[in-house]
Amino acid sequence: MDKEARIELQPRIVTPPPGPRSRAYMEKEKRLFFAAWYTDKDVPFIMRRKQGWLVEDVDGNRYIDMVTGWASTPLGAGYRPVLERVVEALWESGGVECTDYVTDIRLFDLAEKLVAISPPNLTRVAPDTTGTEAVEAALRLAREKTGRYFIITFHGSFHGGNYGAAGAGPLAPDVTRGIKEYIHGFIHVPYPTCYRCPFRQTYPSCGLACLDYIEDVILRYETAPDQIAGVLYEPIQGENGVYIPPDGWIEGLHAMGRKYGWVMIDDEVQTGFGRTGKMFAIEHWPGVEVDLMPLAKALSGGALPIAAVLGTDEVMTASDEIYLGGTFAWQPAACVGALAGIEAMERERVLENVAALEQIALERLAPLADRYEIVGDVRIKGVYIALEFVEDKESKRPVPEITRAVHKRCIEKGLVAIHEHGLWWIRLLPALNMPPDLFRRGCDILEEGIAEVSREYGKGVA
């Protein structure tokens, strides 16, 4: 890459965000869209374009992109080997087709590829359009297979925004507002959020109390195991701040599921396709076999919406009368884009780059918990990264105001990451193929923001 291109890859702030054009569009946004669309947004600019690993706003500011379409542009924006094939497929296929009625030839190559790269026991595919729909499809498949009603899910999980998926994932009361009172059939139990253990214990002396809770409390007092169809879980909780379960939890959960005949649903909508350093996050636990695996986001290759559920023969053939998918599920061009994205990950050895970025994160970000009073915990798995902010190390009191100040300061310096209104962690979801030097620069900006905000709030800096 020549010098001019290297300069182009750097963030650039020409006017403090939000600039005048962004402010004008943000006012228009309030007039045009429903209130919840804009109320909690914490990004003070309007995007004009994305290219590679950078976002440019309408005022000419350029930011390092650590959002990547909420993990949906895994190879950076405008990745030509995917987009060119998608455009060609759009012309060739004629655009939209209802492929669950008129099957298109392009579906077969993607389905075969997904089966080839997935855990060996997952041999069939249910096409869908979004992660939410894929999760809801998995729930229906599990209940259809077992004839049972209840699904165990976990506090702090997010599985989607529609009635069924939102009811399954109690991330926060605002997510289930207007839903919880109508949706039943879910049993919510604690996830191993070790930094904030609900049992006030410490791993490993806790003996995985959160796992024992299922048998000691739920199965003893609330629901018989033969009424439970399955377990829906994230192998690493994402929206809740990238909580990585401790050794033994995944294995123990699956052993319990096998004991009682539960369908084990591994929600890889956000962790799938390299985000955690493996093609699928469940591969970090060798020997664990899942029954259903919802996929979306990075499956798109950064092009068109697409989702799927991978499953075992036993679960996927339990009924031939269940309706899943829909008009826009597995559009021909979307299938081409998904396949091209997977092939690019393999061809360009993207997982090796993820390992390099993870090492940078461990070197640059992990030490921040010791260096700054407000950084309570740093959680890193591949390029699934979160920093949690606290008042101090002893109290661990959440500090949404300070977190938002760090987030805004980073944007002012040319880094956009994920911070949701009212929460006290910031997440980084860089593209899997982001150049290490650019990722390192993003980490530097984040520390600069933390240092400046720490001083402004009178917090300790080592």
Side-chain angles (χ1 to χ4, degrees), residues 106-128:
R106 297 160 189 82
L107 275 64
F108 295 97
D109 288 342
L110 176 59
E112 288 175 343
K113 187 64 173 180
L114 288 174
V115 168
I117 66 173
S118 70
N121 65 316
L122 303 181
T123 58
R124 291 179 181 259
V125 182
D128 228 310

Side-chain angles (χ1 to χ4, degrees), residues 97-103:
E97 183 52 79
C98 185
T99 62
D100 67 353
Y101 186 69
V102 179
T103 307

Side-chain angles (χ1 to χ4, degrees), residues 92-250:
E92 187 176 72
S93 66
V96 174
E97 183 52 79
C98 185
T99 62
D100 67 353
Y101 186 69
V102 179
T103 307
D104 185 272
I105 191 173
R106 297 160 189 82
L107 275 64
F108 295 97
D109 288 342
L110 176 59
E112 288 175 343
K113 187 64 173 180
L114 288 174
V115 168
I117 66 173
S118 70
N121 65 316
L122 303 181
T123 58
R124 291 179 181 259
V125 182
D128 228 310
T129 312
T130 69
T132 293
E133 292 168 292
V135 167
E136 294 193 355
L139 296 174
R140 292 186 63 193
L141 287 163
R143 285 167 168 153
E144 193 76 19
K145 166 64 176 69
T146 62
R148 303 174 184 177
Y149 179 65
F150 290 102
I151 301 286
I152 292 175
T153 68
F154 295 88
H155 297 143
S157 294
F158 181 81
H159 298 291
N162 291 350
Y163 271 88
L171 175 65
D174 64 313
V175 176
T176 56
R177 181 185 296 274
I179 291 177
K180 190 175 180 66
E181 54 265 44
Y182 301 110
I183 299 298
H184 307 284
F186 296 110
I187 300 169
H188 302 131
V189 301
Y191 195 85
T193 51
C194 294
Y195 183 69
R196 295 188 179 276
C197 175
F199 301 100
R200 302 294 191 271
Q201 296 192 42
T202 303
Y203 179 83
S205 62
C206 66
L208 294 175
C210 54
L211 188 60
D212 293 338
Y213 178 89
I214 297 174
E215 287 190 302
D216 294 347
V217 177
I218 298 300
L219 300 189
R220 181 177 178 184
Y221 296 110
E222 188 171 331
T223 308
D226 63 2
Q227 291 182 287
I228 296 171
V231 181
L232 170 64
Y233 68 92
E234 295 175 86
I236 298 172
Q237 276 193 342
E239 304 300 312
N240 200 33
V242 188
Y243 270 105
I244 304 161
D247 292 345
W249 185 81
I250 290 276

Side-chain angles (χ1 to χ4, degrees), residues 71-72 128-132 134 267-273 293-301 305-309:
S72 297
D128 228 310
T129 312
T130 69
T132 293
D267 181 352
E268 297 255 6
V269 166
Q270 194 161 193
T271 55
F273 301 100
M293 190 162 69
L295 303 169
K297 294 189 183 295
L299 173 59
S300 71
I306 188 168
V309 182

Side-chain angles (χ1 to χ4, degrees), residues 56 285 303:
E56 185 175 303
W285 294 274

